[in-house]
Amino acid sequence: MPIVTTKEMFKKAYEKGYAIGAFNVDNVDIMKAVLRAAENKKAPVIIAISSGALKFIGINYVRQVLECAMKEITVPVALHLDHGKEVELCKQCIDIGFTSVMIDASSYDFEENIRMTKEVVEYAHARGVVVESELGAIAGIEDDVVVDDKYGNFTHPSDVVEFVSRTGIDSLAIAIGTAHGAYKFKPGQKPQLRFDILDEIQEKLPGFPLVLHGASSVPQESLKILNTYGGKMPEAIGIPEAMLREAASKAVCKINVGTDLRVAYVGAFRKALHENPEKFDARVFITPAMDAITKLVEDKIENVFGSANQA
């Protein structure tokens, strides 16, 4: 099957009340493990590549590697640039065959965000590629988020219609309480998604696909394995999966996961190293790490996103 855009994926997901998993892959092994899970569960999937992963894998390798893998894959797969901070990077990815790009100009003011996003949209749409953009501040543990009104640094529903209509984007990443990284919340802080904001945005943009970033749940089983075999990630917590499932039943059609994959991969790798000290064949350690990714992604597809058997 050829690599596709997210257009039809999101349309079907919105209508049926589930979300597509966008899995951030850091290397080819993780990409293969994610694709295997999607194929096993007959689920559409998005392979998300950050700018850092793009450099690590090699920009000239990414599309060719995925094209090769697609000869054995029967489910819909989109290739997506995650958090493209520069217009030129988005254009470069479009030119080499990405089917979806995210221009993240959310750190700029509203008008500059619109200007940069619109430039990418015009370039992408002329080449059959879809565009995601972001509005609002998706936090990290280091961010000092000061909430001085009902919405604070979250996405303001009053801005979304103007932003979408002026830019022409295909999907919108919103800030409703998710956070990037493993250490999403300060000690004692309770994870909470602002479903009131989500509902307001959905009401203003009926039928329009929304996106959640920073949505790893940091499964404690994976975290325990990592820490048991030499890792040091205390008190890492994520977004409760029940909240993600509720978001997926609404207008959220794409949920990004990165941290969970890294924790599962490195934990299984560490465990294999510990259990096989006499081995020096890299496959002995990489294979269980890939298996851990596949198991995790299958669980997300089946029990969190609700996208199993939707290919």
Side-chain angles (χ1 to χ4, degrees), residues 174-188:
I174 59 171
I176 59 170
T178 55
H180 290 296
Y183 304 101
K184 300 176 184 295
F185 307 102
K186 297 175 182 178

Side-chain angles (χ1 to χ4, degrees), residues 46 109 130 164 281:
I46 299 167
D109 64 36
V130 297
V164 169
D281 183 344

Side-chain angles (χ1 to χ4, degrees), residues 281-293:
D281 183 344
R283 291 170 294 184
V284 172
F285 316 115
I286 294 172
T287 298
M290 292 176 66
D291 290 344
I293 293 286

Side-chain angles (χ1 to χ4, degrees), residues 3 30 42 57 77 113 121 153 167 225 228 255 299:
I3 304 170
I30 295 175
K42 299 302 174 190
I57 298 171
V77 178
N113 192 348
V121 168
N153 279 12
T167 59
I225 291 171
T228 297
I255 296 178
D299 180 68

Side-chain angles (χ1 to χ4, degrees), residues 123-256:
Y123 192 87
H125 284 184
R127 292 158 179 80
V129 174
V130 297
V131 179
E132 173 188 330
S133 189
E134 184 175 309
L135 199 56
I138 297 172
I141 190 64
E142 295 84 7
D143 296 329
D144 182 16
V145 179
V146 179
V147 179
D148 54 5
D149 59 29
K150 178 182 177 181
Y151 303 107
N153 279 12
F154 299 127
T155 302
H156 288 230
S158 59
D159 294 334
V160 297
V161 174
E162 180 182 1
F163 188 81
V164 169
S165 62
R166 288 178 61 186
T167 59
I169 55 171
D170 303 283
S171 61
L172 177 67
I174 59 171
I176 59 170
T178 55
H180 290 296
Y183 304 101
K184 300 176 184 295
F185 307 102
K186 297 175 182 178
Q189 185 179 5
K190 184 180 179 181
Q192 185 63 52
L193 297 187
R194 290 288 301 273
F195 287 108
D196 58 326
I197 295 177
L198 173 57
D199 290 341
E200 283 189 63
I201 294 172
Q202 183 171 356
E203 184 178 346
K204 290 180 179 296
L205 294 173
F208 192 81
L210 304 176
V211 175
L212 283 188
H213 285 250
S216 282
S217 57
V218 193
Q220 295 303 296
E221 179 184 353
S222 296
L223 189 64
K224 182 179 179 180
I225 291 171
L226 186 145
N227 285 332
T228 297
Y229 295 97
K232 294 181 179 179
M233 289 185 62
E235 299 182 12
I237 59 173
I239 307 299
E241 292 184 342
M243 292 183 184
L244 297 175
R245 186 69 195 98
E246 183 176 350
S249 71
K250 297 176 180 287
V252 173
C253 297
K254 172 175 173 277
I255 296 178
N256 286 33

Side-chain angles (χ1 to χ4, degrees), residues 34-43 72-75 301:
V34 169
L35 291 173
R36 180 172 61 184
E39 185 72 12
N40 289 347
K41 288 298 179 179
K42 299 302 174 190
E72 301 175 357
I73 300 297
T74 63
V75 299
I301 288 170

Side-chain angles (χ1 to χ4, degrees), residues 95-122:
D95 290 342
I96 66 170
F98 278 61
T99 57
S100 173
V101 296
M102 177 195 185
I103 172 64
D104 181 4
S106 59
S107 62
Y108 296 94
D109 64 36
F110 188 70
E111 287 300 323
E112 181 62 8
N113 192 348
I114 287 177
R115 187 198 68 76
M116 292 174 65
T117 300
K118 187 175 180 181
E119 183 177 349
V120 173
V121 168
E122 290 173 350

